Amino acid sequence: MRAENILEVDGLQTWFHTRKGVIKAVDSVSFSLRPGEILGLVGESGSGKSITGLSILGLIDPPGRIVSGEVRYKGRNLVGLPEPEIRAIRGRNIAMIFQDPMMTLNPVLRIDTQMRWALAAHEQVDKNAARARSLEVLRLVGIAAPEERLGSYPHELSGGMRQRIAIAIAMLNKPDILIADEATTALDVTIQAQILSEMQNLCAATGTALIWITHDLSVVAGLADRVCVMYAGRIVEQGLVDDVLDRPMHHYTEGLIGSVPSMNARGKPLKQIAEITRSLFDLPSGCAFRNRCPKVIAGCSEPIPVLERNGHQFRCINPPVPAP
Amino acid sequence: MIVYLINRVGQSLFVLSAMSLIVFVGIYVIGDPVQILVSPEASAEEIAQVRRNLGLDLSLPTQYLRFLSGATSGDLGSSFVYNESAIVVILRHFPATLELALAAMFIAIALGIPLGVWAGIRSETFSAKAIMAASTVGASLPTFWVGLILIMCFAVYLGWLPASGRGATRSVFGVELSIFTRDGLAHIILPALNLALFKVSLVIRLARAGAREIVGQEFIKFARATGQSPARIVLGHLLKNIMIPIVTVLGLEFGSVLAFSVVTERVFSWPGMGNLLVRSLFLLDRPIVVAYLMLTVVIFVVINFTVDVIYTFLDPRIRFSAKAG
Ligand SMILES: Nc1ncnc2c1ncn2[C@@H]1O[C@H](COP(=O)(O)OP(=O)(O)OP(=O)(O)O)[C@@H](O)[C@H]1O
Ligand SMILES: [Mg+2]
């Protein structure tokens, strides 16, 4: 089982040491990824999804720091690698794209320059070879008239086009893993749907594994094989998408599902998760969701172990669905 | 582009005529140059003769109209003191000022941009804070005082560098320049440093503010995520994005150094246009002063235009048409 995982995140803790105290943005996060697999990473804003992605690439800047844990790519631990060695992996083996299609590309550089530099970071390429490879990848992500696009500046392109180009840049070096952080959130719904289905095909065709970070459970439902649900820096539940969505074993997941319109029966009012402003400084010991949870029991204030049933993992001692 | 040029030229013609009138009247009010030019023993007849030769016997409006008609055909009059064309006199002093200004700009860019970018991308480090403190001090010290301190340290106590004057020159494409001789280089270092100090501080602040803003941008994070080296990220992605305010300010500063490096040129007895201007003011040598100020306007127009052209290279989103109106 272990050997066939391309990525294993194990007990990852990324903390921010600020003047006001320590923020445990990512706290004991563990998951694994098989080649070609699509993993959804869902959670509300501030739950630590982006920091998890950035930690995998070693892109955490002070005051943040990976305090402990391992990120194993093909069995090799990336945490603590010297900068040049992890830089050789970034973009070539593991690539990442971000949310804002307006600002993901450098506004003052032409597309061909940006693509050439991303290639040149990992191999010696002359201009013609870089151009040929760029055109190939632009076609791959569904860009019409790629020759023209190469000579454009980002402001001359639409948001969807820019995000496609960002995806193309990420795919330039044929990475094994692509981490997409809210990559379609800022786009309108039709473009979002297009890009999602293209990404699915693209990953199937190239064998690239995908970590799709989003706060939108309905996106994950249609896209991912497995899903991790994050809350306050922890993965509270993970498993196959169908298992998690049909039989959530954590009240936070259940609340998320209830608040998605398309997953509800029509006509029923949407449910809401009780709103409580919480701070990552002083998380309650035990389950962090405790003060918003409808089904609190006495044991919830104790540290919660990771429970498992048929590969479906959850951190809840009083899960919504009783054991069959 | 054409509209833009016509606009610019029209504006500067207006500034030129307004300025010449002010200077004409101003110097007329200050005093009579003839009293300074003739020797104390000169007879009344000799004085009247000089006055007639210089055209100063005419009424002020007549003098101004004569100047204007000369100016439209490119003749800005002859210096009262040198007895030759004012423009020729000024241009003779121009290379000295130009190379001083270029040396100062070079120092400002070579020191200011790296220090400022460093302070911006490593703003938490001690060195960054030291740079910012130094630049605050540098921006607030008066130029003449710094000039004197430089002379005291490097010329008087240490004796490393000469304190005043311009070194040996060499003719480069017909222009006498001193920066290509050892002696000339030794002479230019102190005045150039003096002139650069304020500009270095300014560039540090602009570069730091720009760098701080840009490193937080998503495209920098994205470039890092593709595995590009820190050198590529700073030199390739960041620098071009922070250059617009720096180029703007450096352009204006370059103009003001060319036109008004008076204090530094006085302190270091640098034989440039600044010194010439001060001397001509004392001697009430009106044609020189007027021609000098007109040249200044031309310099600023040319620099502004150059800066606008550089903008379009730095940022593809900027086009001429957008600025013409
Ligand atoms: N530079 C920083 N300094 C201090 N705290 C930080 C910093 N960056 C992130 N954090 C903390 O880490 C937590 C997790 O942030 P992260 O960006 O991973 O959230 P997210 O799940 O991606 O949310 P979103 O959906 O809004 O993108 C945040 O709540 C924030 O408190
Ligand atoms: Mg995020």
Side-chain angles (χ1 to χ4, degrees):
Chain A
M1 185 75 185
R2 272 207 145 193
E4 72 178 71
N5 288 333
I6 191 155
L7 184 78
E8 289 170 334
V9 175
D10 191 359
L12 183 69
Q13 293 191 305
T14 306
W15 294 1
F16 286 83
H17 298 264
T18 67
R19 235 171 253 148
K20 283 192 257 165
V22 176
I23 298 175
K24 298 180 178 178
V26 174
D27 198 13
S28 305
V29 161
S30 302
F31 62 87
S32 58
L33 189 69
R34 279 189 285 271
E37 184 179 36
I38 300 183
L39 176 71
L41 191 56
V42 267
E44 63 190 12
S45 188
S47 56
K49 308 178 299 287
S50 299
I51 301 297
T52 303
L54 292 170
S55 300
I56 292 170
L57 281 177
L59 282 175
I60 298 296
D61 293 320
R65 200 164 69 80
I66 296 182
V67 182
S68 71
E70 292 193 352
V71 174
R72 286 186 297 272
Y73 168 73
K74 290 188 172 168
R76 177 180 180 209
N77 185 13
L78 306 183
V79 176
L81 274 192
E83 182 62 19
E85 286 182 41
I86 187 142
R87 207 165 64 226
I89 289 176
R90 269 181 219 143
R92 191 177 57 180
N93 305 110
I94 308 177
M96 183 158 178
I97 53 175
F98 299 93
Q99 170 167 1
D100 190 349
M102 294 303 154
M103 286 310 291
T104 295
L105 300 173
N106 192 328
V108 303
L109 296 175
R110 281 182 7 186
I111 303 302
D112 51 358
T113 313
Q114 306 196 37
M115 297 191 83
R116 180 152 40 82
W117 287 356
L119 265 178
H122 298 291
E123 55 183 306
Q124 297 278 351
V125 279
D126 61 53
K127 270 197 169 177
N128 289 333
R131 196 182 160 78
R133 176 78 188 130
S134 302
L135 288 173
E136 183 188 328
V137 184
L138 287 177
R139 278 194 202 98
L140 204 62
V141 298
I143 288 197
E147 290 88 355
E148 283 167 43
R149 295 299 160 239
L150 279 184
S152 306
Y153 287 97
H155 71 277
E156 298 163 346
L157 309 172
S158 69
M161 184 90 78
R162 291 190 214 189
Q163 196 59 292
R164 281 205 171 88
I165 288 174
I167 294 169
I169 291 177
M171 298 300 288
L172 266 176
N173 294 294
K174 303 182 176 132
D176 298 319
I177 302 169
L178 175 62
I179 304 172
D181 187 356
E182 307 268 13
T184 56
T185 308
L187 303 174
D188 66 56
V189 185
T190 39
I191 310 243
Q192 176 170 354
Q194 271 175 26
I195 291 188
L196 282 175
S197 85
E198 282 164 19
M199 286 306 293
Q200 228 166 355
N201 297 336
L202 187 63
C203 289
T206 56
T208 304
L210 188 60
I211 299 181
W212 195 270
I213 297 178
T214 178
H215 59 259
D216 188 347
L217 207 55
S218 59
V219 167
V220 166
L223 178 75
D225 305 315
R226 283 191 310 126
V227 59
C228 295
V229 181
M230 274 190 93
Y231 184 80
R234 298 205 160 155
I235 293 183
V236 292
E237 175 160 14
Q238 63 173 306
L240 296 175
V241 168
D242 292 343
D243 286 351
V244 172
L245 295 188
D246 294 347
R247 287 176 297 280
M249 297 298 271
H250 196 285
H251 295 280
Y252 175 62
T253 317
E254 191 185 36
L256 270 185
I257 295 169
S259 63
V260 174
S262 57
M263 293 190 184
N264 255 352
R266 286 175 59 130
K268 272 199 220 162
L270 295 184
K271 288 175 201 149
Q272 271 189 326
I273 303 177
E275 191 65 54
I276 286 180
T277 45
R278 79 200 149 66
S279 140
L280 286 178
F281 287 118
D282 42 15
L283 289 176
S285 67
C287 180
F289 189 61
R290 203 170 78 231
N291 46 14
R292 295 167 79 180
C293 183
K295 297 273 169 59
V296 189
I297 56 173
C300 291
S301 51
E302 304 299 320
I304 310 291
V306 178
L307 305 172
E308 179 171 342
R309 186 172 303 142
N310 304 330
H312 184 163
Q313 298 180 353
F314 47 94
R315 281 179 191 258
C316 184
I317 52 169
N318 185 22
V321 179
Chain B
M1 179 78 183
I2 302 282
V3 179
Y4 167 88
L5 277 179
I6 292 174
N7 254 331
R8 271 292 159 86
V9 170
Q11 280 167 11
S12 23
L13 281 180
F14 174 75
V15 174
L16 281 176
S17 39
M19 180 121 91
S20 62
L21 184 60
I22 294 169
V23 174
F24 240 81
V25 177
I27 295 193
Y28 184 81
V29 172
I30 293 174
D32 182 3
V34 178
Q35 301 296 343
I36 301 174
L37 291 171
V38 297
S39 66
E41 303 93 60
S43 67
E45 213 150 288
E46 284 170 319
I47 294 179
Q49 179 64 36
V50 170
R51 197 180 295 278
R52 247 195 317 281
N53 287 349
L54 297 179
L56 292 172
D57 53 336
L58 305 167
S59 71
L60 184 66
T62 321
Q63 288 184 37
Y64 184 63
L65 286 179
R66 272 179 65 176
F67 162 80
L68 275 190
S69 72
T72 48
S73 58
D75 173 17
L76 295 178
S78 291
S79 160
F80 298 159
V81 179
Y82 296 88
N83 272 326
E84 46 182 335
S85 155
I87 283 292
V88 171
V89 174
I90 291 171
L91 288 183
R92 206 166 45 236
H93 290 77
F94 184 70
T97 295
L98 178 66
E99 66 180 3
L100 183 60
L102 285 176
M105 294 322 270
F106 175 78
I107 296 174
I109 294 170
L111 285 182
I113 292 182
L115 289 178
V117 168
W118 173 261
I121 59 182
R122 290 282 182 272
S123 54
E124 294 305 313
T125 61
F126 174 77
S127 56
K129 286 171 183 151
I131 290 169
M132 291 322 291
S135 97
T136 307
V137 174
S140 51
L141 295 176
T143 306
F144 77 94
W145 184 80
V146 174
L148 294 179
I149 295 293
L150 284 174
I151 291 178
M152 292 241 286
C153 290
F154 294 99
V156 179
Y157 289 137
L158 296 171
W160 291 349
L161 295 166
S164 75
R166 189 177 181 218
T169 61
R170 173 183 297 170
S171 177
V172 180
F173 299 118
V175 183
E176 291 294 321
L177 292 179
S178 75
I179 35 173
F180 297 110
T181 67
R182 253 187 95 85
D183 179 50
L185 214 50
H187 276 85
I188 206 173
I189 289 178
L190 286 186
L193 269 181
N194 184 207
L195 211 48
L197 184 71
F198 178 74
K199 285 160 243 316
V200 174
S201 307
L202 207 59
V203 173
I204 286 180
R205 295 186 159 262
L206 291 170
R208 182 183 90 123
R212 271 179 76 134
E213 192 197 322
I214 297 298
V215 280
Q217 301 282 348
E218 203 139 279
F219 64 81
I220 295 290
K221 201 163 47 165
F222 183 53
R224 288 174 71 200
T226 61
Q228 298 180 43
S229 66
R232 173 51 62 71
I233 295 204
V234 171
L235 301 178
H237 287 278
L238 187 142
L239 213 48
K240 210 176 163 200
N241 273 288
I242 66 170
M243 283 312 283
I244 283 195
I246 297 181
V247 167
T248 310
V249 169
L250 280 181
L252 292 175
E253 284 293 312
F254 185 60
S256 70
V257 173
L258 274 183
F260 312 113
S261 58
V262 178
V263 174
T264 298
E265 291 198 1
R266 291 298 282 178
V267 171
F268 290 90
S269 309
W270 189 261
M273 296 194 302
N275 246 326
L276 174 69
L277 176 67
V278 174
R279 232 177 312 131
S280 303
L281 276 171
F282 278 132
L283 297 176
L284 298 179
D285 194 349
R286 191 182 64 203
I288 296 271
V289 177
V290 173
Y292 181 91
L293 292 175
M294 309 215 100
L295 183 70
T296 315
V297 175
V298 173
I299 287 176
F300 273 100
V301 170
V302 171
I303 288 177
N304 279 336
F305 176 71
T306 315
V307 165
D308 283 345
V309 172
I310 295 177
Y311 280 171
T312 64
F313 284 109
L314 286 175
D315 194 330
R317 290 166 295 187
I318 297 176
R319 291 277 168 264
F320 265 109
S321 55
K323 313 195 79 212

